[in-house]
Amino acid sequence: MPKMRTTLIRGGAAVIGQTVSQQDVLIQGEHIAALGKLSDHKADIEIDASGLLVLPGAVDTHVHFNDMFMNTISVHDYYTGTLAAAYGGVTSLIDFSNQVSGEPLMNTLKIKKDEAKGKALVDWGVHPVITQPTPNILEEIPLVVEEGAPSVKCYLTYREEGLMVKEEDLKRILESLQKSGGMLMVHAEDNEIIEENVKRFISSGLSKPIYHAQSRPPEAENRAIRRCLQLAKETGGRVFIVHLASDEGVELIGAAKLEGLDVIAETCTHYLILTEKMLERDDGIKWICSPPLRSQSIQDKLWEGLEDGRLAMVTSDDAAYSWEAKLYGAQRFDECPNGIPGIEARLNLLYSEGVAKGRIALPRFVELVSTTPANVFGLAPQKGSLNSGSDADIVLFDPKAKWNMNQQTLHMATDWSAYENIEITGKIVKVFSRGELIIDGNRCLAEKGRGRYIRRRLDSSRQKPT
Ligand SMILES: [Zn+2]
């Protein structure tokens, strides 16, 4: 057997579980071989990490690459998207793959394998999205679970875009997932409330971006979340609420957990950093996303939910549409493709606004961006934490460095940025993916196509994340 290359990262402060302590990290081949005081060890490559944090690579389980939506396609493909991911410290991601009309559900995996081939720089997985739950599609649910894609997403809105499923179908999908060891992810916004509001606003000439937010009030989310919780109760199935952005939603999830329902919720970076005030600007279409950005008081509630565990994790909901495409909404908000590019910004923003500003502790930050997403979506123990034997997915992070986040300092493929001139504390210095140095300062060293498909399996003991 050829000798595996070794790398020794010396003297950094590693975040392992709830502790932060000085640990040397030995990488052998693709894995972490040892952690601890390794002063007598030698390695092929030695890196001085004193003054730096040693973090597990970030895991982003909510991204939309090559996503065809509202007459456009997202500009992040498996090269540009994973490049931005790597610069943002993301070493594993899970992408949504929409069911194609008339095709088997298994094709959702094949489509992404084709898209990733020769392009992906980091490891990736797939969430199949069911939009037409015919009996044949329902029968295929155990097959996609078996193929390593056990998390299936459905939408309760976007009827006109062809994404919405009916509630009775949602129940059938959840029952099938429960039997086969899967989990249902739901975009929980009530379509009826939204469609009625949009019609009313547009017909009265209220077409500016702020009316996008007003057409999708927190109550639209709350109503849909209540229905999902009811389904979780009726079926005993596991339900994951994506991009939660309502204060009452946080309370509903908290109460459901106390009741013992198998329910988990995430929020996304932009709801924690930006408010609906952005939509009042002349270029407010930049910040049109769904659910919409909310008030400051709701934002404060979301941070509270993250701190106390009612919200389990933070993802980016990366949906990167070009400025040209966003301009479809220049005259009326309902024609703007909904979405914000964010895969690169999440780790930095969460550290800067969360840890550096004292809102969350450093170990909690690591749980939110790495450990819990990996645990919930079946990527652990290979991904999401620094353990001997795990994949050597590691971020070296300078907690003191200051920089300005804007279109010029980010690497995402959009020709605009939702984050304009945000002062950031903390900077990614190096990123390793399976033992390979892929980001070194402002250089990307990763070879196209090195990223691998991750076959996932959900934890059968169904441990609830804290
Ligand atoms: Zn999304």
Side-chain angles (χ1 to χ4, degrees), residues 62 64 96 153 155 243 317:
H62 191 149
H64 301 269
F96 292 101
K153 184 182 182 184
Y155 288 84
H243 53 44
D317 195 0

